[in-house]
Amino acid sequence: MRLIACLSIYFSICSICFAMLSSSTEPVKSVNVGVILDTADAWIGKLCWSCIQMAHSDFYATHSYYNTRLILNVTDSKSELIAAASAAVDLIKKVAVQAIIGPQHSREANLIIQVCNKSRVPVLSFSATSPSLTSPRNPYFYRIAHNECAQAQAISALVQGFEWKEVVLIYIQDIYAEEVILCITRALQEANIHVSYHAAIPHSPDDNHVVQLLKKLTTLTTRVFIVHMSPMLGSRLFAFAREIGMMSEGYVWILTTEMTNQLASLNSSIIDTMQGVLGVGSYFPKTKEFQDFEIRWKLKFQQENPTTIRRELNIFCLWAYDAVTALAMAVERAGIKEFGFQKASTNSSNTTDFETLGVSLSGPKLGESLSKTRFQGLSGDFSLLDGEVNSSIFQIINVIGDGKKVVGFWTPENGLRRNLDSTKRDTNTSTYSTSKTNLALIIWPGDSSSAPEGLDLLANEKKLRIGVPVKPKNGFGELVNVHYDPDTDRINVSGYIVDVFKFVMDALPYHVPYEFFPFNPGDYDNFSTGSFYDDLIQEVYHGKFDAAVGDITIRAQRSQYVDFTLPFTTNEATFIVPTKQIKNKKEAWIFLKPLTWELWVTSFCFFVFIGFIVWVLEHGLNKETRISPLHHVDTGLWFSISTLVFLQWERIHGNLARFVVMIWVFVVLILTHSYTASLTTLLTVEQLRPAVTDINQLIQRGDVVGYQYSSYSIQFLKQMGFDETKLRAYETPEECDRLLTMGSRNGGIAAAFDETPYIKVLQSKYCSKYTTIGPTYQSQGFGFAFRRNSPFVPDVSRAILNLTERNQDIVNTFVNKWFKNESHCSQSTTVDASYSLELDSFRGLFLLSGIVSSSALIIYTVTFLYKHRQDFKQFYANDSLWKRIYVMLTITRQDDNRIQVGELVSRSTTTTTSNLHDINVIDAS
């Protein structure tokens, strides 16, 4: 292996030497390349230009054998769009550049790209990060930098990790910044994070404008701010934010790459105003090559700029370095023999410089070579995918002291991670994570180590406006009751639902001021159709109320306009009907009612079956079974039926029969006692039975059915098949009671269909006067309705879960308070339509008896066949089944005869012995 390695190194050195020798005989081709920088941004311009120069010298120092050499032609865009476009035209037309490196800004790049598309000259930008620049319409644009939209998911993961539900976006007001903000907004919305406010700042705002904007943001409840702007404007923003008090504890500031990647360019006084700020920045590995380059760059930069205090590299410098390296490699590997332009053909003398631009002959081939270029650069692995750097790793930084601290990383595959080494090791097993535990300790504004809540719900002491429905005549006030108090001149709201709401709001980890406002549309014509509650939901949707509290059923159609909390009641919709008292009802056939006809038939069949089994098992052992065939049936039946009163006069001789009878006696014991208890109840106990036992009776008889005003129950009733003309609405429990008492034939109703909470109100008032009958229909229950994307919904839902699961005693207190009569009512007011014992209740007993009896019969049959196996050898293969059965019966009769003869002989012997004994006694006397 060592020999092979040595030979490989030897041949590589020889090939390089051969290439250098062969290239020395060919003239080096000079390839003009344009560099467009912005000297108005002195720091970035100087920084990038120094990196470009060092990249050029470093590359050709190690690749001196190349046949091509880039000639750098630098121009100044002066931070002006026209100047940048003119510089590009001049470089192409006068210098014949084959590629352009730069410009620094997206707005300049947009114009230069149009120029280069026409002339087919590749543009390599290391700092124009706008997502709209990379497009199939711009085939000659290559972004040696991150697309700013790539950071959107990283920012979203960071916000998710700390469970912040609302953010405010602060950004510079231009088309390119708005593209990035759109990407960030979309990523946040996918994670159910609400952007509560968009704050756009002009390019050059005055101080008062910035201050007023920040003061406006302090009136919002949101305390999470995402900042996307240049370092120059951002430094002013944070200076004013600290003056106003927005850099104190409880605030969260997150920077995009626009500012994070350039923190090194800010002086210490600006950094001091940004303490505790988080930032999402582009990641690059700090390899040995980078460290060596950093040392050389600092020495060179200090010599050229002795007055500059801060001398730190940033990612733009590394991207500029790699852009020069990639272009030098691509030019060499493209193998272009001649670099030139094809002149544009123009017939008019009034043409502009843009129209007379030629078309590069080498542009397409050079672009293709760029797309295939791969190497290990200072910024990481260099490769292009669709004209962009194929890398999307970001680092999360925390501004602390006079610098920044890396607290974690984000990758598209793994999400948030503490370090990248573990991510690389666990590539096959790791999953995407947004957990904040994957980040190191963060120091927040105000020098706090505790993560802020992200909300300040007491900002300006703004109270939530809670809409409460006002029903006609305050029906079902036990649930929600709104009334005016003339003594205090205030609207008072009470009821079971209001108590639940107050409890869960008090249970929140923060104080939330709120105020109830009655919702009274005044027109109750819509109330009966159910649109009353829908109108209340619409008021919340349009912002009149922040939330709605009441007997509001959670429905899919309503959830399109509001966000519901988890239900605080488990609702079922069912029918409530009057009960009728029945006592000592005298009927001729009442003794049959304790059992259903299925149970009667099954019991009779088992009496016959058990009698048959016992007769078979005792046949041949018990002389009572060897009587005339005409008496076989009544003997078997009498034996099994006599078990009802346990008067079995016949003795059981066989063990199998004894075991069968033992199980059957147990079954009969349970059956008779159950029958006795049921019959006693029917004859002696006063009973409450529903006047109607089945909803089909209501439909068939055409009875009138009631439903509550404003309830969606009318839709259910129509779906069940009820005629709309047979439906009648009621407003209050008292009205429902009056209608049920009147009955359907007297202008009232025969039954009412409503949800569980309303039925509980009725039953608490009238106890056993009414009962429910099936079937029941599930509903989603009552919930509190908040505005869409309200931050209160998750916390209120958790408080509801805590109340219903861990504080059931408090729930019972509320129930006893508002439904206090319910505990004094009958324990069971829900009556089933069936009053007879059913077969299902005894299925196990009959199954047990059947299995034991069948098993005994099988054992007896096998024993019988084995005992007479010699007799069955006389069968022929073609004998019919009936013949075989006849032979078996014949053998059975022969056994009976032999047993009878034996008994006669035994009896005769016994008699003779007795007579002889008597004679001997006489003789002796």
Side-chain angles (χ1 to χ4, degrees):
M1 295 298 293
R2 293 181 179 178
L3 178 61
I4 295 175
C6 292
L7 290 175
S8 176
I9 295 173
Y10 172 76
F11 284 118
S12 299
I13 295 174
C14 290
S15 61
I16 294 174
C17 294
F18 178 77
M20 295 175 63
L21 290 173
S22 60
S23 62
S24 63
T25 59
E26 299 180 7
V28 176
K29 297 179 181 179
S30 297
V31 180
N32 285 313
V33 175
V35 180
I36 302 178
L37 298 175
D38 182 10
T39 57
D41 190 353
W43 165 253
I44 295 297
K46 290 179 181 180
L47 176 68
C48 294
W49 175 237
S50 66
C51 291
I52 290 173
Q53 287 179 310
M54 290 187 67
H56 186 271
S57 60
D58 290 349
F59 183 83
Y60 288 111
T62 56
H63 298 79
S64 58
Y65 56 89
Y66 267 31
N67 293 326
T68 57
R69 184 175 296 272
L70 302 182
I71 306 299
L72 302 177
N73 300 270
V74 62
T75 59
D76 184 10
S77 68
K78 301 177 182 179
S79 193
E80 296 179 2
L81 299 181
I82 301 301
S86 298
V89 172
D90 289 342
L91 288 172
I92 295 173
K93 191 172 184 179
K94 297 178 181 179
V95 187
V97 296
Q98 301 302 311
I100 292 178
I101 298 176
Q104 292 172 222
H105 306 292
S106 297
R107 61 180 182 274
E108 298 171 1
N110 194 26
L111 284 178
I112 293 175
I113 290 172
Q114 306 308 317
V115 174
C116 294
N117 282 343
K118 178 176 176 58
S119 58
R120 297 182 182 178
V121 173
V123 180
L124 288 78
S125 178
F126 53 83
S127 58
T129 54
S130 174
S132 63
L133 298 179
T134 303
S135 167
R137 295 174 296 179
N138 301 328
Y140 292 96
F141 175 71
Y142 298 91
R143 192 202 314 274
I144 317 301
H146 283 154
N147 185 326
E148 282 191 307
C149 272
Q151 67 181 317
Q153 293 297 332
I155 294 174
S156 175
L158 185 59
V159 176
Q160 291 179 64
F162 290 95
E163 298 181 356
W164 297 318
K165 298 302 182 183
E166 286 191 8
V167 299
V168 173
L169 298 178
I170 308 174
Y171 54 95
I172 196 167
Q173 192 172 13
D174 68 25
I175 186 174
Y176 301 105
E178 289 171 356
E179 291 176 351
V180 180
I181 291 300
L182 181 62
C183 293
I184 295 175
T185 302
R186 188 180 297 115
L188 293 172
Q189 289 176 345
E190 289 174 356
N192 293 322
I193 299 169
H194 177 53
V195 179
S196 60
Y197 191 75
H198 288 76
I201 301 178
H203 273 281
S204 302
D206 55 32
D207 293 347
N208 183 63
H209 183 94
V210 178
V211 171
Q212 293 302 319
L213 175 64
L214 291 175
K215 288 183 177 180
K216 182 177 181 180
L217 296 182
T218 60
T219 64
L220 304 177
T221 58
T222 308
R223 289 294 179 262
V224 181
F225 304 102
I226 299 176
V227 180
H228 177 71
M229 59 183 59
S230 65
M232 184 179 298
L233 182 56
S235 61
R236 295 174 58 196
L237 178 76
F238 283 104
F240 291 123
R242 187 171 70 166
E243 290 180 7
I244 296 174
M246 297 179 69
M247 298 304 296
S248 58
E249 186 175 354
Y251 284 87
V252 179
W253 296 88
I254 301 175
L255 305 178
T256 64
T257 55
E258 177 78 6
M259 195 167 179
T260 306
N261 288 342
Q262 302 183 59
L263 284 178
S265 65
L266 304 178
N267 58 48
S268 58
S269 62
I270 298 176
I271 293 295
D272 188 54
T273 65
M274 301 172 61
Q275 295 299 299
V277 170
L278 292 181
V280 176
S282 301
Y283 166 77
F284 60 90
K286 294 186 177 181
T287 59
K288 185 178 182 301
E289 291 77 8
F290 165 78
Q291 294 172 355
D292 294 340
F293 171 76
E294 185 179 28
I295 294 173
R296 292 189 295 109
W297 176 83
K298 284 184 177 181
L299 292 173
K300 179 179 183 296
F301 193 80
Q302 184 178 6
Q303 293 174 358
E304 297 176 354
N305 305 276
T307 59
T308 303
I309 299 176
R310 295 181 65 86
R311 293 180 295 274
E312 291 186 24
L313 288 170
N314 63 23
I315 189 66
F316 296 113
C317 177
L318 306 185
W319 282 332
Y321 188 99
D322 289 346
V324 175
T325 304
L327 183 59
M329 286 184 174
V331 168
E332 178 70 18
R333 294 174 181 176
I336 301 172
K337 296 181 179 180
E338 182 179 356
F339 294 91
F341 283 82
Q342 179 181 355
K343 292 184 178 181
S345 58
T346 56
N347 299 325
S348 174
S349 58
N350 298 325
T351 56
T352 62
D353 289 340
F354 180 76
E355 294 173 337
T356 57
L357 285 176
V359 177
S360 174
L361 300 175
S362 58
K365 197 169 185 179
L366 179 57
E368 181 180 356
S369 180
L370 267 173
S371 300
K372 297 179 180 179
T373 300
R374 306 280 191 279
F375 65 92
Q376 180 66 35
L378 290 182
S379 62
D381 294 333
F382 182 92
S383 63
L384 295 176
L385 178 65
D386 297 329
E388 293 183 344
V389 169
N390 186 22
S391 175
S392 298
I393 301 177
F394 294 92
Q395 58 186 356
I396 313 300
I397 66 100
N398 184 203
V399 179
I400 304 174
D402 59 352
K404 60 183 182 181
K405 170 189 173 184
V406 177
V407 296
F409 300 88
W410 179 88
T411 65
E413 299 80 15
N414 306 108
L416 297 179
R417 286 290 183 268
R418 179 73 60 90
N419 53 68
L420 291 178
D421 293 337
S422 62
T423 300
K424 292 178 180 178
R425 288 195 299 266
D426 302 336
T427 302
N428 296 329
T429 59
S430 60
T431 56
Y432 189 88
S433 172
T434 59
S435 174
K436 63 182 178 182
T437 58
N438 293 333
L439 301 176
L441 177 66
I442 297 174
I443 302 301
W444 303 93
D447 198 26
S448 171
S449 59
S450 300
E453 294 290 338
L455 289 173
D456 183 6
L457 300 175
L458 294 179
N460 291 341
E461 287 292 334
K462 180 182 177 181
K463 292 185 178 181
L464 296 182
R465 294 177 57 87
I466 309 299
V468 182
V470 180
K471 290 188 175 183
K473 305 177 184 178
N474 272 330
F476 295 92
E478 289 82 357
L479 297 175
V480 180
N481 186 25
V482 180
H483 61 279
Y484 173 73
D485 187 352
D487 296 334
T488 60
D489 193 29
R490 295 182 60 183
I491 299 293
N492 292 330
V493 179
S494 60
Y496 172 79
I497 295 175
V498 175
D499 282 355
V500 171
F501 177 76
K502 290 179 178 179
F503 179 85
V504 297
M505 295 302 287
D506 291 340
L508 296 180
Y510 41 81
H511 173 65
V512 181
Y514 57 87
E515 185 176 358
F516 293 113
F517 291 88
F519 175 69
N520 187 347
D523 180 13
Y524 290 109
D525 292 338
N526 295 330
F527 193 84
S528 61
T529 63
S531 64
F532 170 76
Y533 287 98
D534 294 336
D535 292 342
L536 177 56
I537 294 298
Q538 289 295 323
E539 294 295 333
V540 176
Y541 175 70
H542 291 296
K544 181 177 180 180
F545 301 124
D546 296 303
V549 172
D551 47 341
I552 305 171
T553 303
I554 300 173
R555 302 189 66 190
Q557 182 268 340
R558 293 172 181 171
S559 65
Q560 298 176 7
Y561 303 98
V562 295
D563 285 344
F564 281 102
T565 63
L566 290 177
F568 53 87
T569 62
T570 302
N571 283 15
E572 291 180 342
T574 188
F575 288 88
I576 185 169
V577 297
T579 58
K580 56 183 179 180
Q581 295 184 350
I582 301 176
K583 183 178 180 180
N584 297 336
K585 187 175 181 180
K586 295 178 173 56
E587 295 181 8
W589 300 97
I590 194 173
F591 68 92
L592 295 176
K593 283 197 171 184
L595 306 182
T596 60
W597 69 269
E598 294 94 343
L599 187 54
W600 278 115
V601 172
T602 303
S603 301
F604 177 78
C605 292
F606 261 81
F607 280 122
V608 175
F609 176 68
I610 296 299
F612 170 75
I613 294 296
V614 173
W615 177 82
V616 171
L617 297 178
E618 287 294 286
H619 190 79
L621 299 177
N622 194 330
K623 64 180 181 179
E624 298 297 334
T625 62
R626 295 191 301 271
I627 56 180
S628 172
L630 297 176
H631 298 287
H632 285 176
V633 175
D634 61 338
T635 301
L637 286 177
W638 165 250
F639 183 87
S640 60
I641 293 175
S642 65
T643 57
L644 287 172
V645 290
F646 309 105
L647 294 176
Q648 293 81 21
W649 296 335
E650 299 82 359
R651 292 186 59 188
I652 305 297
H653 293 77
N655 291 328
L656 288 176
R658 288 171 180 170
F659 187 63
V660 170
V661 171
M662 179 182 67
I663 299 299
W664 176 242
V665 168
F666 175 72
V667 174
V668 170
L669 178 66
I670 299 298
L671 187 62
T672 53
H673 279 68
S674 300
Y675 174 86
T676 303
S678 181
L679 182 60
T680 302
T681 301
L682 288 172
L683 293 175
T684 62
V685 178
E686 183 178 285
Q687 301 174 30
L688 294 177
R689 297 186 185 179
V692 180
T693 59
D694 189 359
I695 64 170
N696 291 324
Q697 296 179 13
L698 299 172
I699 299 175
Q700 294 171 0
R701 296 188 313 201
D703 288 338
V704 179
V705 175
Y707 66 94
Q708 188 188 166
Y709 270 119
S710 78
S711 172
Y712 65 92
S713 302
I714 187 174
Q715 305 299 331
F716 272 105
L717 293 171
K718 291 179 181 178
Q719 294 174 5
M720 294 178 203
F722 286 95
D723 188 354
E724 188 172 1
T725 60
K726 298 297 182 179
L727 303 178
R728 181 170 178 178
Y730 55 86
E731 298 177 355
T732 64
E734 292 76 14
E735 183 179 2
C736 180
D737 170 63
R738 181 176 59 82
L739 293 174
L740 286 171
T741 303
M742 292 170 60
S744 178
R745 296 182 180 180
N746 300 319
I749 57 177
F753 184 74
D754 218 331
E755 293 179 276
T756 307
Y758 304 112
I759 292 177
K760 291 178 67 175
V761 172
L762 278 168
Q763 292 183 332
S764 67
K765 287 178 175 290
Y766 304 104
C767 290
S768 57
K769 186 176 180 181
Y770 301 106
T771 186
T772 58
I773 61 172
T776 59
Y777 299 85
Q778 294 293 331
S779 68
Q780 297 301 319
F782 293 157
F784 303 128
F786 284 82
R787 297 182 64 182
R788 294 294 301 271
N789 301 312
S790 172
F792 298 103
V793 173
D795 293 336
V796 174
S797 295
R798 279 190 285 268
I800 291 174
L801 279 178
N802 185 63
L803 172 64
T804 56
E805 292 183 0
R806 302 180 183 178
N807 296 284
Q808 193 60 42
D809 54 336
I810 297 177
V811 176
N812 293 335
T813 301
F814 293 156
V815 171
N816 294 332
K817 174 182 177 182
W818 295 103
F819 310 109
K820 50 190 173 184
N821 292 333
E822 186 181 20
S823 59
H824 302 292
C825 296
S826 174
Q827 292 294 325
S828 177
T829 57
T830 301
V831 184
D832 192 357
S834 175
Y835 310 103
S836 303
L837 298 175
E838 296 182 349
L839 176 61
D840 289 340
S841 303
F842 301 90
R843 190 181 300 275
L845 289 173
F846 285 122
L847 182 63
L848 175 63
S849 179
I851 292 175
V852 171
S853 301
S854 301
S855 300
L857 180 62
I858 293 173
I859 294 173
Y860 173 82
T861 304
V862 172
T863 304
F864 177 82
L865 294 176
Y866 179 79
K867 178 179 178 181
H868 297 281
R869 61 186 183 280
Q870 298 298 332
D871 298 329
F872 295 131
K873 291 182 178 179
Q874 58 183 309
F875 291 153
Y876 294 99
N878 57 352
D879 287 345
S880 64
L881 177 63
W882 294 109
K883 183 177 180 181
R884 295 169 187 260
I885 295 174
Y886 175 77
V887 171
M888 291 178 63
L889 293 176
T890 302
I891 294 172
T892 302
R893 286 198 299 270
Q894 291 174 358
D895 286 346
D896 292 345
N897 294 333
R898 284 195 293 267
I899 292 173
Q900 289 177 0
V901 171
E903 290 178 350
L904 291 175
V905 172
S906 177
R907 188 181 303 115
S908 174
T909 303
T910 302
T911 304
T912 303
T913 303
S914 178
N915 292 336
L916 289 174
H917 177 72
D918 293 341
I919 294 172
N920 291 331
V921 171
I922 294 171
D923 291 341
S925 61

